[in-house]
Amino acid sequence: MKAARWHGPQDIRVENIEEPKTHPGTVKVKVEWAGICGSDLHEYLGGPIFIPRDNPHPLTNETAPIVMGHEFSGKVVEVDPTVTSFQVGDRVCIEPIYACGKCFSCRRGHYNLCVHLGFHGLSGGGGGFSEFTVVPEYMVHKLPDNMTFEQGALVEPAAVALHAVRQSRLKAGDKVAVFGAGPIGLLVIQAAKLAGASQIFAVEISEQRQAFALSVGAAHVIDPSQTDAVQEIQQVTGGGVDIAFEVTGVPAVLTQAINSTALNGETVIVSIWEKPAEIHPNDLVLGERTVMGILAYRHIFPEVIQLIANKQFKAEELITKKISLDQIVKEGFEALVKQKSQVKIVVQPN
């Protein structure tokens, strides 16, 4: 079968590899649609971050080259006899977290903070950028009949956004700034609106993404290349927002996000970073501000699926391009690097 595998930075190859087989506790899925994530782009440009290159991942025992793709949906085509929750023909999406189940975080139910954390499609074990993949039963979630496979492929990034808002201190009526209106940023805007944010600012350079931000719930868009975003937010709000979400992974933007908040405000870092960022501690100390990070999601996929099915999350509308697996490098990864008009590109392996 065909699969897109990461060999190194800016070296993703579509190759023919052996079709995976089920084993106890697993389900085989024919992939229908898979999204290219910002994390995938970080791996392409500056990895490895999650990808195991020198030492095998402790839960998959694999090293690069690995099959990529962790945002995907598909149809169950084979079920190991030990699996009882699914059957052939089920329409599903995948919650791609590998966790050991034994460490302190796992025992507390915080499996997204596992000391051996990995992702199907980043850490080995297969991935969504392939015709078929085999996943553990616990990763699989059924899709309702009124959801498309394209929507199913966007459950994973929507889960990141909802988890970010849930972990924040956001209360109904709060003012919010979202720095970066890529796919996750746009979903964070929607999640903040669902949580009751009264005023949402989107800070984004791309005109196309600014338009998307307004369409999904932002009240104001600010182009930081044309104006001082922090100053404008402080002026319009009369002192700053209650919560800022940093969704760019750009070091300078983290400082802007912090300084856009009011006294005692909170900044939530949603991005995965390729390199360190420097902040001035006094930006926190003198305003009693806080900064927190969030990673992926936990115990949230069923709710996200329902929100998308109910059209409370506008997920499918964020898709700006659909491509085949053979086009994934030039029309997928390279397009996302060069064309800021792109939001979410999805890939059809079959």
Side-chain angles (χ1 to χ4, degrees):
M1 69 170 187
K2 284 185 177 180
R5 299 203 296 173
W6 186 96
H7 286 259
Q10 298 186 53
D11 185 8
I12 293 174
R13 308 173 198 175
V14 178
E15 302 171 313
N16 281 304
I17 64 173
E18 185 177 352
E19 191 172 310
K21 297 179 175 60
T22 57
H23 49 276
T26 63
V27 171
K28 185 174 182 177
V29 175
K30 176 188 176 185
V31 180
E32 293 291 340
W33 288 101
I36 301 177
C37 176
S39 298
D40 296 327
L41 201 59
H42 284 305
E43 297 285 6
Y44 177 68
L45 293 173
I49 300 169
F50 288 107
I51 292 174
R53 181 163 62 178
D54 299 321
N55 299 304
H57 190 277
L59 299 181
T60 67
N61 296 313
E62 289 190 24
T63 57
I66 60 99
V67 179
M68 296 192 75
H70 61 279
E71 304 177 351
F72 65 98
S73 63
K75 188 177 291 185
V76 174
V77 293
E78 187 180 334
V79 177
D80 184 84
T82 60
V83 172
T84 58
S85 302
F86 302 96
Q87 59 187 8
V88 172
D90 282 345
R91 303 166 65 256
V92 299
C93 67
I94 307 302
E95 180 178 357
I97 288 181
Y98 287 114
C100 71
K102 300 175 183 178
C103 70
F104 176 74
S105 293
C106 284
R107 293 198 307 272
R108 295 179 65 197
H110 295 177
Y111 56 87
N112 63 315
L113 303 179
C114 174
V115 295
H116 300 303
L117 179 69
F119 294 88
H120 189 82
L122 284 172
S123 307
F129 295 153
S130 60
E131 295 180 69
F132 299 93
T133 192
V134 170
V135 295
E137 180 181 12
Y138 69 81
M139 288 186 180
V140 185
H141 295 266
K142 290 182 183 177
L143 297 176
D145 292 339
N146 63 334
M147 271 184 70
T148 66
F149 284 117
E150 290 94 331
Q151 289 174 316
L154 292 172
V155 171
E156 198 272 351
V160 174
L162 188 60
H163 180 65
V165 170
R166 277 189 171 185
Q167 291 299 107
S168 77
R169 300 194 311 233
L170 177 61
K171 307 181 301 298
D174 280 353
K175 300 180 182 69
V176 168
V178 178
F179 285 76
I184 299 292
L186 292 168
L187 290 162
V188 167
I189 290 170
Q190 296 183 59
K193 185 178 180 182
L194 286 170
S198 63
Q199 196 173 22
I200 302 175
F201 296 80
V203 182
E204 171 60 49
I205 293 174
S206 164
E207 291 184 5
Q208 290 87 348
R209 291 184 175 189
Q210 290 174 14
F212 269 104
L214 290 171
S215 72
V216 298
H220 309 272
V221 292
I222 299 172
D223 182 345
S225 69
Q226 300 298 318
T227 188
D228 186 321
V230 172
Q231 186 177 52
E232 184 166 338
I233 290 171
Q234 290 280 349
Q235 287 177 345
V236 173
T237 59
V241 293
D242 300 287
I243 314 285
F245 293 90
E246 193 292 313
V247 205
T248 68
V250 177
V253 175
L254 177 56
T255 296
Q256 293 173 5
I258 292 169
N259 288 326
S260 75
T261 64
L263 301 180
N264 200 39
E266 179 182 59
T267 299
V268 181
I269 303 174
V270 188
S271 304
I272 298 297
W273 296 70
E274 294 177 20
K275 54 188 177 182
E278 183 176 305
I279 64 171
H280 198 307
N282 281 347
D283 290 338
L284 306 177
V285 173
L286 299 182
E288 291 194 350
R289 296 181 173 105
T290 60
V291 176
M292 70 170 295
I294 69 102
L295 179 59
Y297 33 74
R298 58 177 178 264
H299 309 299
I300 206 170
F301 260 57
E303 290 86 351
V304 174
I305 290 169
Q306 200 58 56
L307 286 169
I308 293 175
N310 293 345
K311 300 190 184 303
Q312 291 167 279
F313 255 135
K314 297 178 182 178
E316 193 171 352
E317 289 89 336
L318 304 185
I319 297 172
T320 50
K321 193 175 187 181
K322 298 180 179 182
I323 60 175
S324 69
L325 188 61
D326 287 327
Q327 299 173 301
I328 194 168
V329 176
K330 185 176 180 181
E331 299 297 328
F333 285 90
E334 286 297 322
L336 287 169
V337 172
K338 297 173 182 176
Q339 302 169 20
K340 294 308 178 185
S341 59
Q342 297 296 341
V343 177
K344 175 59 70 176
I345 297 178
V346 292
V347 182
Q348 190 168 47
N350 285 281

